[in-house]
Amino acid sequence: MLELQSITKRFGGLVALAGVSFWVEAGETLGLVGPNGSGKSTLFGVISGFLKPEAGRVMFAGLDITGLKPHRIARLGVGRTFQIAQPLPEFTCLDTVALGILYADGERSLGAARKVAREILAEVGLGELWAARTTELTMVNLRRLELARALAVRPKLLLLDEVFAGLTPGEVREATELIKQLKARRNLTVIMTEHIPAAIMESCSRVIVLDQGRIIASGSPAEVARDPRVIEVYLGPDRASA
């Protein structure tokens, strides 16, 4: 479904990604983890077209999408959420999602887009809140709305950028189950970044660990959790050798 080939991204003199390469199979749920500043969100920006790499290629479903505009990549089937939810304050939940549907498919009427939006909101657990203003939503419902916006572009690949941030442990469990259901129902491929280990262990079959823009480990969640390099990055060299 996705292949990254030697992706390099710089911001001035800072190398955010240094020759990152990996692949994702169709139907897989891949976890992308690492300390703050390791390059996770930058990598999502490159995949979704918000950032253009200095070197390397992004291949999606056999197509070279490197450097394409975000709207073109979205219409090819790549949806994403963002770490910090930025809802449109004057919009209802319904029209927030309908706007994404119109963006992805300009041939739909507003009425048709709203009908599909109602269905998507029901899928993510916001069916009763379709008329609510986005400013009225709790954190957990803002996260659900982020998911609904990403689903509006009918993605094949879903990029989830810390979708559990700000949630309680119980809400994390509910959100984890929701993502599993959406993935199965819609036949999605998922890449998720997250700082909550339990969510990664529960959701992902494979995990890649980034540190300072480089991959330092890859494998099953259990294998990665035991990797000495990963332990050192998260705990420091003294505790890693203890």
Side-chain angles (χ1 to χ4, degrees):
M1 178 64 70
L2 181 75
E3 183 180 1
L4 302 187
Q5 302 173 354
S6 301
I7 296 295
T8 296
K9 178 61 186 174
R10 300 183 183 89
F11 297 100
L14 173 67
V15 179
L17 297 170
V20 172
S21 299
F22 65 84
W23 47 264
V24 186
E25 295 284 3
E28 185 176 13
T29 300
L30 175 72
L32 190 64
V33 302
N36 288 331
S38 60
K40 304 183 299 296
S41 292
T42 299
L43 196 55
F44 271 17
V46 169
I47 295 170
S48 56
F50 287 86
L51 298 171
K52 186 175 181 178
E54 275 71 44
R57 293 201 304 169
V58 181
M59 304 295 296
F60 173 65
L63 299 174
D64 187 346
I65 63 171
T66 314
L68 291 184
K69 297 294 185 182
H71 72 276
R72 293 187 60 191
I73 292 176
R75 287 172 177 169
L76 288 172
V78 178
R80 69 166 295 184
T81 67
F82 293 85
Q83 282 185 28
I84 300 174
Q86 297 180 343
L88 301 167
E90 300 303 319
F91 276 53
T92 62
C93 292
L94 180 67
D95 283 343
T96 296
V97 180
L99 180 64
I101 293 167
L102 291 171
Y103 178 77
D105 186 356
E107 295 184 3
R108 288 183 188 268
S109 67
L110 178 57
R114 282 174 168 164
K115 180 179 179 181
V116 177
R118 286 286 292 267
E119 296 169 357
I120 293 174
L121 288 169
E123 269 193 287
V124 302
L126 294 177
E128 299 300 317
L129 294 174
W130 63 271
R133 298 284 179 183
T134 60
T135 50
E136 300 169 359
L137 299 182
T138 62
M139 177 58 72
V140 66
N141 285 335
L142 277 174
R143 293 298 179 190
R144 290 175 183 268
L145 185 61
E146 277 285 292
L147 268 176
R149 290 171 71 177
L151 294 174
V153 301
R154 296 175 296 178
K156 302 180 185 75
L157 173 65
L158 187 59
L159 308 177
L160 302 178
D161 197 351
E162 296 191 25
V163 73
F164 304 125
L167 304 187
T168 67
E171 290 167 346
V172 169
R173 288 191 293 272
E174 291 177 0
T176 299
E177 185 58 32
L178 172 60
I179 290 167
K180 286 182 179 180
Q181 293 171 3
L182 291 172
K183 179 177 180 292
R185 187 182 303 126
R186 289 175 168 263
N187 195 27
L188 296 170
T189 303
V190 177
I191 307 176
M192 59 189 302
T193 71
E194 193 48 64
H195 284 296
I196 302 174
I200 291 293
M201 296 291 285
E202 175 69 21
S203 303
C204 302
S205 56
R206 186 164 58 100
V207 178
I208 288 174
V209 184
L210 286 173
D211 183 41
Q212 298 181 12
R214 292 177 170 82
I215 294 175
I216 62 167
S218 177
S220 71
E223 290 169 340
V224 165
R226 294 192 300 265
D227 192 300
R229 296 167 297 179
V230 177
I231 296 171
E232 181 173 343
V233 163
Y234 277 97
L235 300 181
D238 293 337
R239 292 184 64 182
S241 60

